[in-house]
Amino acid sequence: MVYVFWIISLLFLYYFLEKRKKNRINELINLIENMKKQNYKIPMKQDDFSILEDEIYKLFIEIVEAKETSTKNSEKQIEYLEDIAHQIKTPITSMLFSIENLEMDFPDNEDVEILKRQTLRLNSLSDILLKLSSLDANKDLMKKEEIRLDELVDYALDSLNLKRFTNVEIDKSLKGNSIYGDFYWLAEALINIFKNADNRPTCDKIVVSSYKNPLYTSLIIKDNGGGIKKENMKKIFKRFYKTPDSNGFGIGLAMAKTIVEKNNGEISVKNENDGASFEIKFYNVT
């Protein structure tokens, strides 16, 4: 009987300790979940788990503080970027005015033409920096409105000055498809994709088409500009990345990607036949 009682006591003790351990583990899980909800109240128990509890609490507080510091630094950088872009606008405007006067006095001077071209390029860069700062600073910047794809593409093309010999073919499929998003920001994204195609020396044709399935509505922009080199395929959407033959700033496609993603979409690219094919998928969620 003594042995039986001893075994039963051990089993009961084991059960008690296991149950206590599981309860404390659940309490630790609840502690982490509460801290995720910004409830930083820590239980005041003293047992074998207390040290682990204290360390979890300290680590979480350090992560929160580091995140807040990082967010503040990012916000300051965005403010500085926007301020710099605004500041350089004033001298650029003054320079363009002076260049117009020089053009009147020296209409055939090649140096004046070069100066004007570079100043306009600088002006474009300041506009791009302002747009980037707006995208980075505002998480809820995008509107949610119904957009017809044919109207969106027409608006983007009307805002561009494509090469004279570039032929743009718009498939009839665009007329029947609509998406939800911010019209003017998405037009900005398309403008950058069209520019990327038109800037390729051999590109003289751009084809725009669309299709829809239960999951998403797709917009496809194909060109015959020779395609993208394999080593550049994964880099072209990175900010400030430029291919050796590019005349841009390396911002357009990165900006297009950011805009599309902020409008509940995704963008991808592949080589097809004699050029590149960009596909934008807008998921059917309003």
Side-chain angles (χ1 to χ4, degrees):
M1 285 296 293
V2 175
Y3 290 110
V4 173
F5 179 76
W6 183 70
I7 292 171
I8 292 173
S9 298
L10 286 176
L11 288 172
F12 178 78
L13 180 61
Y14 174 78
Y15 172 77
F16 173 77
L17 292 175
E18 281 296 308
K19 186 175 180 180
R20 180 172 171 271
K21 182 175 71 174
K22 288 180 181 179
N23 287 338
R24 290 297 281 134
I25 291 172
N26 287 331
E27 287 177 358
L28 289 173
I29 293 171
N30 289 333
L31 172 67
I32 294 170
E33 291 300 321
N34 287 333
M35 286 193 292
K36 285 181 181 178
K37 298 174 183 176
Q38 298 184 337
N39 179 6
Y40 303 128
K41 184 178 179 181
I42 184 170
M44 301 300 293
K45 290 187 177 182
Q46 296 296 325
D47 57 18
D48 296 338
F49 285 88
S50 297
I51 296 174
L52 178 59
E53 206 168 46
D54 289 341
E55 291 302 316
I56 290 173
Y57 182 81
K58 290 176 184 177
L59 178 61
F60 201 93
I61 294 300
E62 288 176 4
I63 291 172
V64 169
E65 289 176 349
K67 184 179 178 182
E68 289 176 352
T69 301
S70 177
T71 300
K72 288 179 182 178
N73 289 337
S74 296
E75 289 173 352
K76 285 182 180 179
Q77 288 178 355
I78 292 167
E79 288 177 6
Y80 293 152
L81 178 63
E82 189 172 10
D83 185 55
I84 290 170
H86 278 296
Q87 291 294 330
I88 64 176
K89 269 289 185 183
T90 301
I92 289 174
T93 302
S94 178
M95 288 166 63
L96 286 171
F97 180 76
S98 298
I99 290 170
E100 287 180 0
N101 290 333
L102 284 172
E103 283 183 316
M104 294 175 64
D105 296 334
F106 307 97
D108 300 320
N109 191 297
E110 186 177 343
D111 291 333
V112 174
E113 179 60 31
I114 293 172
L115 180 61
K116 181 180 181 180
R117 188 163 59 248
Q118 294 301 323
T119 306
L120 288 172
R121 182 175 168 83
L122 186 60
N123 190 51
S124 297
L125 179 59
S126 66
D127 288 337
I128 289 170
L129 290 175
L130 285 171
K131 290 173 183 175
L132 286 175
S133 63
S134 295
L135 284 173
D136 292 340
N138 297 286
K139 292 182 179 179
D140 301 320
L141 180 69
M142 303 298 163
K143 296 178 182 177
K144 289 289 183 181
E145 54 192 357
E146 187 174 5
I147 302 169
R148 285 177 47 181
L149 283 183
D150 58 333
E151 292 179 353
L152 179 65
V153 170
D154 286 343
Y155 180 86
L157 290 171
D158 286 342
S159 304
L160 278 169
N161 184 23
L162 297 178
K163 295 194 294 271
R164 291 181 184 178
F165 56 82
T166 301
N167 179 36
V168 181
E169 295 182 6
I170 301 176
D171 192 82
K172 293 180 181 179
S173 57
L174 267 71
K175 289 187 177 180
N177 289 334
S178 297
I179 59 172
Y180 282 88
D182 191 296
F183 184 92
Y184 294 106
W185 275 111
L186 286 172
E188 180 71 29
L190 296 189
I191 286 169
N192 284 304
I193 296 172
F194 285 131
K195 278 183 180 178
N196 177 74
D198 193 54
N199 284 339
R200 296 182 176 277
T202 60
C203 177
D204 61 7
K205 184 179 179 181
I206 300 173
V207 179
V208 187
S209 61
S210 173
Y211 69 89
K212 187 172 185 176
N213 61 35
L215 184 60
Y216 58 81
T217 301
S218 179
L219 180 66
I220 301 169
I221 301 172
K222 297 180 182 179
D223 65 66
N224 64 345
I228 300 165
K229 292 182 178 179
K230 188 176 181 180
E231 61 267 25
N232 298 330
M233 193 69 75
K234 293 182 179 180
K235 302 176 184 177
I236 61 170
F237 291 116
K238 290 184 178 180
R239 193 172 290 185
F240 300 113
Y241 175 77
K242 290 175 58 177
T243 56
D245 58 343
S246 173
N247 294 320
F249 300 106
I251 299 174
L253 291 179
M255 186 188 297
K257 184 177 186 291
T258 301
I259 293 169
V260 168
E261 290 176 348
K262 284 179 177 285
N263 281 275
N264 194 41
E266 65 179 27
I267 184 171
S268 60
V269 63
K270 62 181 179 180
N271 287 328
E272 197 170 289
N273 297 327
D274 54 353
S277 176
F278 288 83
E279 181 175 11
I280 307 174
K281 295 177 180 178
F282 297 99
Y283 290 94
N284 299 330
V285 180
T286 57

